[in-house]
Amino acid sequence: MAVVPPEAETWDPRTWRTAMAVEVEDVDAVHAAALRRGLTVVYPLTTGTWGIRCFFVRAADGAVINVHGHA
C-alpha cells in the first residue's frame, strides 16, 4: 500500500509539504542508513531553530517522507 497524495509527484522543496512524517530517536543514524541504502535525500539533514533535526527522503513510490527527531 502506498500513501501518496497527487502532489507527491511534483514535490516542491519550497513548500515543505511531505506525504508523511516519521519521528525517530536518532535522526543522524537513520540519515546515514538512508545514504548507505542509496535512498534519494531531497532535503538535507538540517537542525531547525525550533530544535527539530530533519531530512526528507523520496520513497520508492515517489512519496516524500519527513524524517525528524529532537536535536
Side-chain angles (χ1 to χ4, degrees):
M1 179 174 121
V3 181
V4 183
E7 65 270 10
E9 306 238 347
T10 58
W11 182 74
D12 182 345
R14 295 169 293 179
T15 67
W16 279 68
R17 289 175 34 183
T18 59
M20 181 183 299
V22 179
E23 184 172 10
V24 297
E25 188 172 322
D26 186 346
V27 71
D28 292 283
V30 174
H31 180 262
L35 293 177
R36 277 194 308 276
R37 291 185 173 113
L39 299 178
T40 302
V41 174
V42 296
Y43 184 80
L45 186 60
T46 305
T47 303
T49 57
W50 52 94
I52 297 292
R53 190 157 169 77
C54 70
F55 69 97
F56 296 177
V57 64
R58 185 175 304 281
D61 64 1
V64 176
I65 301 169
N66 173 348
V67 182
H68 65 277
H70 294 276

